[in-house]
Every structure is written in C-alpha cells, then in structure tokens.
C-alpha cells in the first residue's frame, strides 16, 4: 500500500494516496512497528497537506514527530518538522512555522543533515513570501537552490566515482 500511496502522490492523485497511506498506517499499527507507523504518519500528513486538509495533516505530523523523537530517528524528525512548517504556513501560523524551522536547525546542530538544513531555506523563503518580505524570500530561494545544486553535484560525483571503481574492478577481473 505504501508504494501505491507514493505512486498516487507522485501522480498528484491525493485522495487515492491518502487511501493507500491510511491502509499502510493501519497495517503498521497492527503489526506493532513504531518506525513504520511514524513513516506512514508523515506520508499521510504530506498527502493530506497537498489535498488541502491541513488541520488533519498537522495532527498526523505531530504524531510522527512524537514517534521519531522517541526512537531518535533524527533525519525523519527533521523532515517531519519541515512538513509541519509548510503546513503552518498554509494555515497562516507563521510564528509556528518559524518554530518548526528552529527545531530543524536545533536537530541539525546535534545530528547534521544536509537535506534538512537545505530545506530550511525553502521553508524560510515561503515564510518571508507570506510576510510580504519578497527581498528576503528571494534571498532564501537562491540559497536553497544553490545548496540543492551543490548537494546534487556531490551526489553525482560520488555515483561517478562508484561506477569508476566497479568498472575498474570488472576490467581487472576480465
């Protein structure tokens, strides 16, 4: 069901995505897998948010935050706070959105995550835009894209190096 949720999310068919993520959540709870339950919460919250069911999405996001915090899953905890920030922006709660970004940055100090750190720029850009501070919104959008491009370049370089090692090994074995 999780894969069907993802496929439908990608196709922007949010009602179907919600249906499948709800079934995934029920299965994870029934089987007693807390991390899988937390992932299902965050996936369901993301689909609800995109389907303009922000208040409901916030509830599931908070449940994910509680579980990821309890099990010290910091990467997913940061992602949950990022989603919470975006939901709060949509609801017009900019102070709460700032608090969510602060939570991500606090987690980042203890458990660095390039993805989550970079994503804070996107959330801040959205906050500044909502506030009407377009100069700051543009500044943070540019920071986000610059960092995101750098991360993509690093990832591509790592993949290229890995392929070169595999290719070199195959040549030696041949």
């Amino acid at each position: 069901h999780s894969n069907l949720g993802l496929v439908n999310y990608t196709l922007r068919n949010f009602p179907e995505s919600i249906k499948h993520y709800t079934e995934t959540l029920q299965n994870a709870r029934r089987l007693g897998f807390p991390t899988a339950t937390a992932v299902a919460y965050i996936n369901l919250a993301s689909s609800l948010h995109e389907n303009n069911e922000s208040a409901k999405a916030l509830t599931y996001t908070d449940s994910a935050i509680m579980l990821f915090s309890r099990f010290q899953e910091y990467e997913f905890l940061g992602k949950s706070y990022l989603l919470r920030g975006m939901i709060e922006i949509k609801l017009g709660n900019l102070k709460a959105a700032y608090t969510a970004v602060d939570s991500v940055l606090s987690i980042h100090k203890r458990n660095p995550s390039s993805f989550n750190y970079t994503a804070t720029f996107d959330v801040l850009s959205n906050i500044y835009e909502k506030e009407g501070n377009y100069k700051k919104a543009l500044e943070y959008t540019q920071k986000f894209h610059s960092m995101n491009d750098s991360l993509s370049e690093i990832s591509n370089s790592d993949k290229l190096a890995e392929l070169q090692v595999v290719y070199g090994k195959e040549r030696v074995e041949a």
Side-chain angles (χ1 to χ4, degrees), residues 34-106:
T35 303
T37 300
V39 169
Y41 279 141
I42 205 65
N43 288 337
L44 182 54
S46 185
S47 291
L48 287 165
H49 169 62
E50 293 293 340
N51 202 47
N52 295 315
E53 297 179 56
S54 298
K56 197 172 181 182
L58 207 51
T59 302
Y60 286 108
T61 302
D62 288 343
S63 296
I65 288 170
M66 182 193 70
L67 284 173
F68 288 135
S69 181
R70 182 183 306 158
F71 293 99
Q72 300 177 352
E73 293 284 347
Y74 297 114
E75 182 78 19
F76 287 110
L77 181 59
K79 290 178 198 288
S80 300
Y81 276 115
L82 288 165
L83 178 58
R84 188 179 213 301
M86 293 304 289
I87 294 168
E88 294 289 8
I89 292 167
K90 193 177 237 182
L91 292 171
N93 303 328
L94 302 184
K95 187 174 181 176
Y98 276 119
T99 301
V101 169
D102 287 343
S103 296
V104 175
L105 294 174
S106 176

